[in-house]
């Protein structure tokens, strides 16, 4: 299919708005050609994942755009970087890498991006309207944007995301098109105990299972009362599903905007597959999130995606007036950090043994201490998926309460009532 560019788009490519804008528009147009898109479409916003340091070339790319006087044309929030610029926590990046990571973060701000530095921009007020086209990076942000907000985005990778933000355009293909948002698989949870579904610990497990079952297909989940699902539950489900599978969009019948019922999510078609999730499947999925059997832990990490203010309320209530014997790393965005600092809440958490991490997280940059045979406990399905490879720590999965109880004693503590 031949890509049709407007006169405006051709003018930008030809340098009307400067070298940086021309480069960005060329990248977007070439991607559209590769994907078979017939045209480019305007976008309302972007979320940029490319500011995370993976090597010097990424810094040079951002600085090249700055040198070309590029500026974003739409609202563009920034995903986590490699440094905690708030000073809450340190990391072990060598001097050269730390300097290049900081240069990269500064370059993206010069391009006009908002220094939000969070993987959960939807918690920081970036919530595009249902039906609008956007260009978001970061897998959990993408799946939340598509599924819970009902905006339309593909999974935009590093550097294409900022190119779209500067061009103000995205290729018209994939999940931007309504017909490609149709569910083809029904995932039925009605065989599961409602007591389990009412607990936050279940949703990362179910998300991990869903991702492994469905891959890159689109499913509609049935058999769960819509009022049982909080936004944090959907966040945890989506993040885990996007990590274990390639999920960019899911529907929950009666809960998400494009699924007032299962038939609407299916767009009137019969499903290609129906999956009935059994308690045994869930127990096996929960077990699979732990990569090691251990009786002691070296650290706890929570907040992938970044913790909401409500989740900090739960953390504080669970710790109460106790002190932790192993560090608990709580990753969040600076929008939440500002609220924690208003009444010295962060100070009290730190006195209890919590290490608040802002602007980044412990899986994408070296914050955790180097230790042989180290064990990390987490309540995050995404941390459980990525931490072994990214940090070298073995992982034990548990609920927030189990994570806190284990951090207090330094020994793994499980409560089996939910399962």
């Amino acid at each position: 299919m031949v890509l049709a560019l407007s006169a405006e788009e051709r003018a930008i490519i030809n340098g009307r708005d400067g070298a940086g804008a021309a480069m960005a528009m060329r990248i977007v147009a070439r991607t559209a050609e590769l994907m078979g898109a017939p045209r480019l479409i305007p976008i309302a916003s972007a979320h940029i994942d490319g500011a995370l340091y993976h090597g010097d070339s990424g810094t040079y790319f951002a600085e090249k755009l700055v040198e070309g006087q590029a500026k974003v044309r739409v609202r563009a929030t920034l995903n986590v970087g490699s440094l905690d610029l708030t000073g809450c926590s340190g990391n072990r990046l060598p001097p050269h890498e730390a300097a290049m990571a900081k240069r990269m973060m500064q370059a993206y701000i010069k391009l006009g991006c908002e220094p939000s530095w969070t993987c959960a921009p939807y918690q920081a007020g970036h919530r595009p309207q249902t039906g609008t086209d956007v260009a978001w990076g970061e897998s959990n942000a993408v799946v939340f944007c598509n599924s819970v907000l009902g905006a339309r985005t593909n999974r935009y990778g590093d550097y294409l995301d900022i190119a779209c933000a500067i061009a103000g355009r995205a290729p018209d293909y994939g999940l931007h098109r309504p017909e490609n948002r149709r569910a083809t698989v029904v995932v039925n949870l009605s065989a599961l105990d409602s007591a389990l579904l009412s607990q936050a610990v279940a949703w990362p497990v179910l998300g991990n299972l869903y991702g492994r079952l469905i891959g890159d297909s689109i499913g509609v989940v049935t058999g769960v009362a819509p009022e049982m699902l909080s936004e944090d539950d959907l966040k945890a489900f989506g993040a885990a599903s996007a990590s274990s599978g390639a999920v960019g969009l899911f529907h929950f019948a009666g809960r998400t905007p494009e699924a007032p019922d299962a038939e609407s999510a299916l767009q009137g078609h019969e499903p290609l597959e129906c999956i009935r999730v059994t308690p045994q499947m869930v127990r096996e999925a929960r077990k699979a999130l732990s990569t090691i059997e251990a009786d002691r832990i070296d650290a706890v990490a929570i907040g992938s995606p970044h913790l909401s203010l409500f989740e900090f309320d739960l953390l504080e209530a669970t710790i109460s007036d106790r002190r932790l014997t192993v560090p608990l790393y709580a990753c969040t965005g600076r929008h939440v950090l500002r609220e924690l600092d208003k009444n010295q809440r962060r100070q009290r958490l730190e006195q209890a043994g919590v290490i608040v991490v802002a602007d980044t997280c412990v899986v994408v940059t070296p914050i955790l201490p180097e230790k042989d045979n180290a064990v990390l406990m987490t309540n995050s399905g995404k941390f459980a998926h990525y931490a072994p490879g990214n940090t070298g720590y073995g992982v034990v999965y548990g609920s927030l309460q189990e994570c806190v109880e284990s951090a207090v004693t330094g020994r793994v503590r499980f409560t089996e009532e939910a399962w």
Side-chain angles (χ1 to χ4, degrees), residues 186-192 194 197 220-226 228 252-253:
V186 174
V187 179
N188 189 337
L189 303 184
S190 62
L192 304 182
S194 60
L197 297 178
V220 56
V221 181
T222 64
V224 56
M228 295 179 68
F252 266 80

Side-chain angles (χ1 to χ4, degrees), residues 123-180:
Q123 294 178 169
H126 190 179
R127 299 172 72 93
Q129 294 182 349
T130 298
T132 56
D133 288 293
V134 299
W136 279 32
E138 211 304 306
S139 62
N140 106 81
V142 167
V143 73
F144 189 97
C145 183
N146 274 317
S147 308
V148 183
L149 301 181
R152 298 172 180 173
T153 181
N154 291 312
R155 288 169 58 127
Y156 285 96
D158 290 0
Y159 317 140
L160 178 57
D161 48 13
I162 187 62
C164 288
I166 292 168
R169 305 285 198 282
D172 182 17
Y173 80 101
L175 294 176
H176 289 292
R177 304 182 71 86
E179 66 272 20
N180 293 334

Side-chain angles (χ1 to χ4, degrees), residues 89-411:
S89 59
N91 69 25
R92 296 182 288 100
L93 276 176
H96 173 78
E97 285 80 352
M100 293 299 283
K102 189 170 185 179
R103 279 173 54 179
M104 175 185 271
M105 295 171 81
Q106 291 170 337
Y108 276 91
I109 294 172
K110 290 176 183 177
L111 291 170
C113 301
E114 296 178 24
S116 48
W117 306 120
T118 180
C119 59
Y122 44 85
Q123 294 178 169
H126 190 179
R127 299 172 72 93
Q129 294 182 349
T130 298
T132 56
D133 288 293
V134 299
W136 279 32
E138 211 304 306
S139 62
N140 106 81
V142 167
V143 73
F144 189 97
C145 183
N146 274 317
S147 308
V148 183
L149 301 181
R152 298 172 180 173
T153 181
N154 291 312
R155 288 169 58 127
Y156 285 96
D158 290 0
Y159 317 140
L160 178 57
D161 48 13
I162 187 62
C164 288
I166 292 168
R169 305 285 198 282
D172 182 17
Y173 80 101
L175 294 176
H176 289 292
R177 304 182 71 86
E179 66 272 20
N180 293 334
R181 299 174 68 85
R182 173 172 68 90
T184 58
V185 181
V186 174
V187 179
N188 189 337
L189 303 184
S190 62
L192 304 182
D193 191 334
S194 60
L196 172 62
L197 297 178
S198 68
Q199 300 189 48
V201 68
W203 293 104
V205 177
L206 290 168
N208 180 272
L209 175 62
Y210 177 94
R212 288 189 286 109
L213 289 172
I214 209 164
D216 61 355
S217 298
I218 297 173
V220 56
V221 181
T222 64
V224 56
E227 62 274 11
M228 295 179 68
L229 287 159
S230 71
E231 190 167 284
D232 283 324
D233 293 334
L234 292 168
K235 174 182 76 171
F237 178 89
S241 71
S243 300
S244 64
V247 177
L249 166 65
F250 61 79
H251 303 287
F252 266 80
R255 181 62 175 83
T256 53
E258 295 171 75
D261 48 46
E263 291 72 21
S264 298
L266 292 163
Q267 296 183 11
H269 293 76
E270 289 296 316
L272 301 179
E273 185 179 8
C274 294
I275 301 171
R276 184 174 176 83
V277 176
T278 66
Q280 180 61 27
M281 292 166 68
V282 178
R283 285 191 291 269
E284 291 173 356
R286 177 219 179 183
K287 185 177 181 181
L289 282 176
S290 294
T291 64
I292 191 172
E293 291 186 8
D295 60 1
R296 52 99 190 153
I297 58 172
D298 298 284
V300 170
I302 62 176
S304 182
H306 275 170
L307 294 176
S308 66
L309 191 60
F310 176 72
E311 288 172 311
F312 268 105
D313 294 341
L314 296 177
L315 175 62
E316 289 173 310
T318 306
I319 294 174
S320 188
D321 57 356
R322 297 178 294 175
R323 286 192 57 81
L324 311 178
T325 62
V326 300
L328 186 153
Y329 296 84
C331 305
T332 194
R334 51 177 58 188
H335 60 287
V336 172
L337 188 66
R338 286 191 290 268
E339 297 300 316
L340 294 177
D341 281 341
K342 285 182 179 178
N343 298 307
Q344 295 188 312
R345 292 174 65 182
R346 175 162 66 100
Q347 183 181 4
R348 290 193 293 272
L349 285 165
E350 290 172 342
Q351 289 171 348
V354 175
I355 299 173
V356 178
V357 178
D359 290 352
T360 188
C361 87
V362 299
V363 163
V364 300
T365 198
I367 292 175
L368 296 172
E370 281 189 297
K371 289 185 177 181
D372 292 332
N373 303 313
V375 179
L376 175 73
M377 192 168 186
T378 185
N379 69 337
S380 163
K382 187 171 182 177
F383 270 164
H385 183 81
Y386 287 118
N390 286 12
T391 70
Y393 279 56
V395 169
V396 175
Y397 176 79
S399 66
L400 177 63
Q401 181 178 355
E402 290 167 339
C403 285
V404 170
E405 296 302 323
S406 301
V408 168
T409 64
R411 317 291 292 185

